[in-house]
C-alpha cells in the first residue's frame, strides 16, 4: 500500500558502517511509497539524511556497499597521532568522500526539496547538543541549539562534525567552535523533530537493544576504546527511546486524568482543559507520537570495519526487513 507523506518524519541513528542497514531499510520504505517531510540524522545518519532529502537513495546504496576502510579513515601510526595530535585516526578520506557526494547539484536538490533536515552534533566549547538545519523556522531552546547552515561548504562541515567520534577522530571547527558526534548526547536525534511538530516518526536504530556476549579478548587499546564507545552508544540510544516512551506515557496519563475528571465532576471538556493549562506542564499542548522503531534483529558489529561484503549483508538485512519493529504509540 502506498502511504502519502503527511507530516511524516524519519530519524537515523549513528553506527558507522552499520549505516548500510539503515540504507537497506530506507530503500524498502521508499519502494513502498513512503516519503518524509523532516529527516534527522546523527553520525553516519548525518551523511544519509541530506542525501535522502535529495532523493539519492541509489547513491546511498552505492556508498554503503562499496566504500572500504581506506575510503573513510587512515589508521597508520595511531600511537604517534594520539601522542602528538588530537585523534587516533586521520579522517581526510572521509572528508573527501563527503565532499564528492554532496556536490553542488545535490546541494541544490536538498535546498529545493521542501524537506527539513536536522544534523545532530555536540559543541565541545559549551557542551550543548546542536542541530544544524536548512530551515529558518526551527529555534533552539534550553535543551539544544539550532543553527542554519549557510552554504554547501558549511553543510559538509556539519556532516563531518556529526560523524567524528572524539579521540578516534579530530573535532570539526565551524565558525570558531569545535563540534563532534551528536551521538554523545543523542544517538537517536528526535528532539528537534518532535518540537518542530512531527507526530508520525520512524526511527531507524542500528543497535540491537539487548546485550550479547562479545568473545573479543580486548588486548589492544583500540579494541577497548571501540567497545567502550559501543556500550556508551547502546545506552544513549536506549535512553533516547525510553524518553520517547515516557513522553507518550505522560500524554496518555494526562488524557486519562481528564477523562476521569469529566466523568466524576460534570465539568465541560473546555473547563477541564483549562485546569491543565500551565506553562509548567511539560505536556501542555503536546501531541501523542506515532513512533515506530526499526532496528536489527542481530548484532551488526563495532561499526568501523567497512568491509564491503559485510556491508552488503547489512544492507540486505535492512532491505529484507529481517528486523525488530515496534510502536511506542
Amino acid at each position: 500500500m502506498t502511504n502519502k507523506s503527511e507530516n511524516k518524519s524519519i530519524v537515523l541513528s549513528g553506527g558507522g558502517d552499520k549505516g548500510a542497514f539503515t540504507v537497506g531499510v530506507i530503500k524498502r520504505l521508499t519502494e513502498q511509497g513512503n516519503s518524509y517531510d523532516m529527516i534527522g540524522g546523527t553520525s553516519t545518519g548525518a551523511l544519509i539524511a541530506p542525501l535522502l532529502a535529495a532523493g539519492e537513495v541509489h547513491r546511498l546504496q552505492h556508498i554503503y556497499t562499496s566504500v572500504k576502510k581506506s575510503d573513510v579513515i587512515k589508521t597508520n601510526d595511531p600511537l604517534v597521532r594520539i601522542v602528538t595530535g588530537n585523534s587516533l585516526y586521520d579522517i581526510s578520506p572521509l572528508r573527501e568522500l563527503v565532499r564528492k557526494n554532496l556536490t553542488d547539484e545535490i546541494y541544490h536538490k536538498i535546498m529545493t526539496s521542501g524537506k527539513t533536515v536536522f544534523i545532530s552534533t555536540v559543541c565541545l566549547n559549551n557542551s550543548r547538543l546542536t542541530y544544524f538545519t536548512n530551515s529558518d523556522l526551527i529555534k533552539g531552546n534550553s535543551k539544544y541549539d539550532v543553527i542554519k547552515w549557510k552554504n554547501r561548504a558549511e553543510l559538509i562541515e556539519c556532516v563531518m562534525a556529526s560523524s567524528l567520534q572524539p579521540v578516534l577522530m579530530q573535532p570539526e571547527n565551524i565558525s570558531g567552535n569545535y563540534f563532534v558526534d551528536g551521538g554523545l548526547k543523542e544517538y537517536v536525534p528526535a528532539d528537534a523533530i518532535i518540537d518542530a511538530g512531527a507526530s508520525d516518526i520512524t526511527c531507524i536504530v542500528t543497535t540491537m537493544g539487548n546485550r550479547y556476549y562479545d568473545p573479543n579478548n580486548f588486548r589492544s587499546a583500540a579494541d577497548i576504546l571501540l567497545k567502550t564507545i559501543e556500550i556508551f552508544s547502546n545506552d544513549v540510544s536506549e535512553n533516547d527511546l525510553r524518553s520517547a516512551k515516557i513522553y507518550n506515557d505522560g500524554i496518555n496519563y494526562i488524557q486519562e486524568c481528564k477523562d476521569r475528571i469529566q466523568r466524576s465532576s460534570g465539568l465541560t471538556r473546555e473547563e477541564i482543559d483549562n485546569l491543565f493549562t500551565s506553562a509548567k506542564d511539560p505536556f501542555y499542548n503536546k501531541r501523542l507520537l506515532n513512533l515506530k522503531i526499526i532496528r536489527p534483529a542481530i548484532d551488526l558489529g563495532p561499526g568501523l570495519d567497512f568491509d564491503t561484503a559485510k556491508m552488503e549483508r547489512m544492507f540486505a538485512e535492512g532491505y529484507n526487513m529481517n528486523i525488530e519493529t515496534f510502536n511506542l504509540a
Side-chain angles (χ1 to χ4, degrees):
M1 179 181 294
T2 299
N3 298 312
K4 293 182 180 179
S5 172
E6 296 177 355
N7 197 25
K8 294 179 66 175
S9 302
I10 191 165
V11 176
L12 314 173
S13 83
D17 61 14
K18 292 182 282 191
F21 168 82
T22 299
V23 173
V25 174
I26 285 171
K27 185 173 183 184
R28 173 53 65 89
L29 291 175
T30 55
E31 286 179 355
Q32 292 174 343
N34 293 282
S35 63
Y36 303 94
D37 303 295
M38 288 188 279
I39 305 168
T42 194
S43 196
T44 197
L47 173 59
I48 298 170
L51 289 172
L52 176 58
E56 295 285 332
V57 177
H58 290 295
R59 180 183 291 265
L60 284 168
Q61 181 178 352
H62 174 73
I63 293 171
Y64 280 91
T65 56
S66 66
V67 297
K68 303 180 293 295
K69 196 166 189 175
S70 59
D71 298 320
V72 180
I73 55 176
K74 291 181 181 178
T75 58
N76 55 311
D77 298 322
L79 180 59
V80 174
R81 289 190 57 81
I82 198 63
V83 170
T84 62
N86 56 6
S87 67
L88 279 170
Y89 301 136
D90 175 357
I91 45 80
S92 55
L94 175 60
R95 190 178 304 279
E96 176 60 20
L97 179 69
V98 173
R99 188 198 63 77
K100 184 172 69 173
N101 284 283
L102 289 177
T103 63
D104 287 328
E105 179 184 0
I106 289 175
Y107 181 76
H108 178 73
K109 286 183 179 181
I110 296 165
M111 299 305 290
T112 58
S113 66
K115 301 180 184 299
T116 301
V117 179
F118 293 97
I119 294 174
S120 170
T121 69
V122 172
C123 178
L124 290 181
N125 300 89
N126 60 20
S127 304
R128 292 272 290 173
L129 177 65
T130 304
Y131 290 98
F132 287 90
T133 183
N134 58 341
S135 173
D136 290 308
L137 303 178
I138 312 302
K139 307 300 180 185
N141 56 37
S142 61
K143 294 170 60 180
Y144 55 77
D145 295 324
V146 176
I147 301 173
K148 183 180 180 183
W149 67 68
K150 302 179 184 68
N151 48 45
R152 170 178 171 258
E154 193 161 281
L155 171 59
I156 291 171
E157 292 175 347
C158 301
V159 171
M160 286 298 300
S162 186
S163 305
L164 303 178
Q165 293 180 339
V167 182
L168 289 179
M169 304 163 187
Q170 60 265 40
E172 185 77 5
N173 184 336
I174 304 177
S175 301
N177 285 320
Y178 289 86
F179 294 87
V180 294
D181 190 341
L184 285 181
K185 282 183 172 283
E186 194 179 47
Y187 195 74
V188 184
D191 278 355
I193 280 181
I194 292 172
D195 292 343
S199 56
D200 189 325
I201 305 173
T202 297
C203 297
I204 305 178
V205 185
T206 58
T207 58
M208 285 179 64
N210 51 39
R211 296 293 181 258
Y212 65 96
Y213 180 75
D214 190 335
N216 196 328
N217 58 23
F218 302 109
R219 289 180 179 175
S220 74
D223 283 346
I224 295 170
L225 180 58
L226 287 171
K227 186 63 180 181
T228 302
I229 291 171
E230 180 190 341
I231 293 170
F232 176 78
S233 298
N234 284 341
D235 286 345
V236 171
S237 68
E238 290 309 300
N239 287 336
D240 290 341
L241 298 178
R242 191 177 299 115
S243 295
K245 186 176 188 307
I246 291 171
Y247 177 98
N248 267 6
D249 288 346
I251 293 174
N252 277 322
Y253 178 71
I254 294 295
Q255 185 63 46
E256 183 180 329
C257 288
K258 290 180 178 180
D259 292 341
R260 288 179 179 178
I261 292 171
Q262 187 171 31
R263 287 195 299 268
S264 62
S265 69
L267 294 173
T268 67
R269 197 64 186 193
E270 183 179 0
E271 290 171 330
I272 295 171
D273 287 340
N274 287 336
L275 292 175
F276 286 85
T277 300
S278 170
K280 295 181 180 180
D281 179 2
F283 301 107
Y284 173 64
N285 209 26
K286 294 294 194 297
R287 306 157 313 284
L288 194 66
L289 300 178
N290 176 25
L291 187 63
K292 178 189 291 183
I293 313 299
I294 299 176
R295 67 193 324 166
I298 60 172
D299 173 52
L300 299 179
L304 282 178
D305 292 335
F306 291 98
D307 175 85
T308 54
K310 180 182 176 183
M311 291 168 72
E312 286 176 354
R313 290 194 297 272
M314 288 190 286
F315 174 86
E317 183 80 11
Y319 181 78
N320 292 324
M321 303 299 263
N322 180 20
I323 55 178
E324 178 185 349
T325 305
F326 56 95
N327 292 297
L328 294 181

